[in-house]
Amino acid sequence: MTRAAYPSLAEIDATIDHWVERLPDWVARSEVGRSLQGRPITLVTLGHRAGNPDHRPAFWLDAGTHCAEWAGMAAAVDALDRWGAEVEAGGPLADWLRSHTIYLVPCISPDGYAAMLAGAPYIRSTLRPPPDGTVRTGWSPEDMDGDGVVRLIRWKHPAGPFVIDETEPLHMRFRTLDDSATDAFFVAEEGRFVQWDGVRWTGAPREFGLDLNRNFPGNWRPFTMFGMDAGAFPGSAPESRAVIDALAARPNVSAAITLHTFTGCLLTAPYSASSPLSPADIKLMQSLARDCVAHTDYAAIPVHPAFTYDARNPIGGVFADTVATVFGVAGYTLEIWDPFAAADVKPKNTAHFFSDPDPTVLLGLARRFASEPGTKPWTPLAHPQLGDVEVGGLELQRTIRNPPEDRLPTELDTVFRIVDRARRVLPRVGCSVTVKPRGPDQADLHIVVENTGYLGTAGLEQGARVGRVPGIRVTVEGPDGTVATRSLDQLDGWGQTRTGSGSMPFMPNLPTRGHRAHVTIPVSGSGPWTVSWHSTRAGRGTVEVVRS
């Protein structure tokens, strides 16, 4: 894939096919569902085929929940390219993928993504039509000048709320009491009125208003904002249903990142003040988020209270929150690209900026991106309904929502650094067995299981709490069949110890549960015995022992 351009669906597929063909023992593709228009939703599995990759500790990475956030798709495919190249070169990742797995879904909303690449007006996620009973009447975005980009349209009127900024002619600033009515404009997305009465200037409901990142089960609730909705019920969209089912079918996943834009941060739990996650899980996730963004210019930000539109009305149905609260997986949202930092005009609160933007920040963004290739100066246009208007402004897709293409490689470097650090946090259980004779024909098998990973064997403690992850199972089989099966408790990871009993280095303590467990099983004869252990999220294996 060309790293300085946003990939088409065909280029994404070609990249996947390339690595499946070059590394058939390491890379596989499967279809986890179909979009509303019948496009495949592809899952790529990276892991050595010797054994079952679904039985190993796994990391999940996806993109394209919001189809306008093109940098996510680019970063997902870039990660596949880098991981594939490292495996092909025989690097350390090859050894890692013999005992771990990566799942990658490069585009969850392929219909919307294809439409936006072809020049459609802004689409949040999918091409789901308006809910039954919705009448679309009013202003509807559309490319009116035929250049393949929907920018802005303006026309003069004394009731208009905008005027031309005196310092940046491209920018339309808010009108104040000091401005003359003769200088006032109405400004909207480029478009036209549909089913218009010829009088009222009002906006139509969005043609495709579903926000897929409000359609997942975690804390789902009816939702409307900026003309978008959460769907009829959790998983009502085929795309969200496919992703939920794919994750549910892979309980070995213990850490996940979903790629979005924009802000330049890694969003972490909690998503609300009433999150079902325990304080220990929240503390662990926040510490891990800071570790993942280390040595980058990205920040780790808890959604509540630092990244909420309205703290009194938390947003539900978010995928990362669902991953954590429903599945007990350490799930994060990585917001790629920070246009504010690029323009040196950081808002006090990025989430609040969308509903109450700071005029200084708006002007700074306009100035920073006015010279980008997709920017168009205000150009006269004969509008079929309004008469003489002007069309112009930024191409938001390659300035604000996503980085300009010449900045894309730098962003991809940062994103890969973060996701590649995140995949290293998985739990990993090993086992040792000591044979202790108790007589000529009797012995005890002293079995110790140990977790050396960052995360505990349940992922988050929420994983065990919601019944997604049972304890560790140990089985002993001898020449005559099964001798015994025992269940052991979950094991801590070193990240849990670091944020728990070891969180104060001047006064550290050892944990209550710890990273080891053991069981002693009596056996008879001289063996051999096969000791097997199984942890849903921390791997499985066997040890062959004989009485010496």
Side-chain angles (χ1 to χ4, degrees):
M1 186 195 79
T2 301
R3 298 181 72 236
Y6 293 105
S8 66
L9 288 176
E11 288 169 331
I12 292 173
D13 281 341
T15 301
I16 297 170
D17 288 341
H18 168 81
W19 290 113
V20 170
E21 292 170 5
R22 291 188 70 88
L23 300 172
D25 293 333
W26 297 89
V27 183
R29 72 180 294 163
S30 58
E31 183 181 305
V32 296
R34 290 263 166 173
S35 68
L36 187 65
Q37 292 192 339
R39 289 183 172 89
I41 299 172
T42 300
L43 181 140
V44 181
T45 302
L46 291 90
H48 197 264
R49 299 298 126 191
N52 188 341
D54 293 339
H55 293 168
R56 301 171 188 153
F59 172 68
W60 174 284
L61 180 67
D62 70 61
T65 302
H66 290 154
C67 66
E69 296 168 5
W70 298 350
M73 277 65 83
V77 178
D78 178 66
L80 175 59
D81 269 339
R82 294 180 192 237
W83 284 327
E86 185 173 347
V87 170
E88 190 170 44
L93 182 66
D95 287 337
W96 190 85
L97 283 173
R98 294 180 187 277
S99 55
H100 302 82
T101 299
I102 298 172
Y103 299 117
L104 172 64
V105 182
C107 187
I108 294 174
S109 300
D111 297 346
Y113 184 54
M116 287 215 66
L117 285 177
Y122 176 74
I123 301 168
R124 184 64 162 169
S125 295
T126 78
L127 298 187
R128 187 217 65 184
D132 291 344
T134 301
V135 177
R136 293 195 74 242
T137 176
W139 189 263
S140 181
E142 183 181 334
D143 176 19
M144 298 302 295
D145 59 4
D147 68 353
V149 178
V150 176
R151 295 183 183 85
L152 297 179
I153 193 169
R154 72 183 186 186
W155 65 97
K156 273 198 166 185
H157 193 277
F162 295 94
V163 296
I164 299 172
D165 186 89
E166 298 85 349
T167 65
E168 175 50 68
L170 186 75
H171 180 52
M172 300 301 294
R173 66 166 174 82
F174 294 127
R175 180 181 174 182
T176 72
L177 294 175
D178 299 318
D179 295 313
S180 170
T182 60
D183 296 327
F185 284 82
F186 276 92
V187 181
E189 288 182 88
E190 193 177 339
R192 70 170 74 218
F193 291 105
V194 294
Q195 300 193 69
W196 190 35
D197 60 10
V199 177
R200 300 171 69 237
W201 291 348
T202 60
R206 287 189 177 273
E207 185 175 8
F208 307 112
L210 174 65
D211 186 338
L212 206 63
N213 207 32
R214 307 292 181 267
N215 192 234
F216 293 99
N219 194 33
W220 183 91
R221 64 187 68 187
F223 160 89
T224 56
M225 182 181 287
F226 308 132
M228 295 170 287
D229 66 86
F233 53 86
S236 60
E239 296 87 352
S240 57
R241 183 80 249 176
V243 175
I244 294 167
D245 288 346
L247 187 60
R250 292 162 178 82
N252 54 320
V253 173
S254 59
I257 288 181
T258 180
L259 299 174
H260 287 252
T261 69
F262 55 93
T263 295
C265 69
L266 187 63
L267 296 178
T268 182
Y271 273 72
S272 70
S274 58
S275 172
L277 296 177
S278 69
D281 276 344
I282 292 171
K283 187 177 182 181
L284 174 74
M285 287 188 64
Q286 293 180 356
S287 176
L288 175 54
R290 292 190 295 270
D291 214 348
C292 287
V293 301
H295 314 298
T296 75
D297 55 2
Y298 279 37
I301 301 177
V303 173
H304 176 85
F307 204 89
T308 58
Y309 301 108
D310 181 355
R312 298 165 300 179
N313 185 29
I315 290 174
V318 176
F319 182 65
D321 191 38
T322 296
V323 167
T325 61
V326 176
F327 293 96
V329 170
Y332 299 90
T333 301
L334 181 55
E335 298 280 356
I336 304 169
W337 173 233
D338 189 350
F340 308 108
D344 197 24
V345 286
K346 196 72 172 174
K348 293 180 180 178
N349 185 301
T350 305
H352 292 172
F353 173 81
F354 295 105
S355 57
D356 187 19
D358 181 339
T360 304
V361 175
L362 292 169
L363 176 59
L365 291 170
R367 285 175 172 167
R368 166 61 182 83
F369 298 112
S371 60
E372 289 296 329
T375 299
K376 182 174 186 174
W378 291 104
T379 305
L381 176 75
H383 193 276
Q385 296 162 321
L386 296 172
D388 291 337
V389 301
E390 292 177 293
V391 173
L394 304 179
E395 182 190 3
L396 295 183
Q397 281 301 112
R398 290 179 173 87
T399 53
I400 307 296
R401 295 190 186 116
N402 302 282
E405 288 176 329
D406 63 347
R407 294 287 299 268
L408 182 58
T410 299
E411 288 300 310
L412 296 182
D413 289 343
T414 300
V415 172
F416 182 73
R417 180 180 183 84
I418 294 169
V419 300
D420 198 53
R421 287 172 70 83
R423 58 102 181 156
R424 290 185 268 161
V425 309
L426 306 180
R428 183 65 195 175
V429 165
C431 179
S432 62
V433 182
T434 303
V435 181
K436 297 184 176 181
R438 288 191 294 109
D441 196 44
Q442 303 292 319
D444 289 334
L445 301 186
H446 185 62
I447 303 165
V448 177
V449 292
E450 180 177 44
N451 177 28
T452 56
Y454 182 104
L455 291 173
T457 54
L460 299 179
E461 287 301 300
Q462 182 76 356
R465 192 176 299 115
V466 298
R468 290 287 302 169
V469 187
I472 300 168
R473 187 175 71 246
V474 175
T475 301
V476 176
E477 294 183 339
D480 299 325
T482 301
V483 175
T485 298
R486 299 287 187 271
S487 292
L488 303 178
D489 196 3
Q490 304 291 347
L491 301 178
D492 293 337
W494 62 264
Q496 286 170 299
T497 304
R498 191 180 81 175
T499 57
S501 61
S503 60
M504 170 45 73
F506 293 144
M507 296 179 290
N509 203 347
L510 295 177
T512 301
R513 182 174 58 191
H515 73 291
R516 284 178 173 173
H518 67 92
V519 62
T520 298
I521 296 178
V523 293
S524 58
S526 58
W529 300 283
T530 300
V531 178
S532 304
W533 71 95
H534 173 276
S535 173
T536 302
R537 289 186 170 163
R540 60 182 70 186
T542 60
V543 174
E544 299 287 341
V545 294
V546 296
R547 178 177 175 137
S548 59

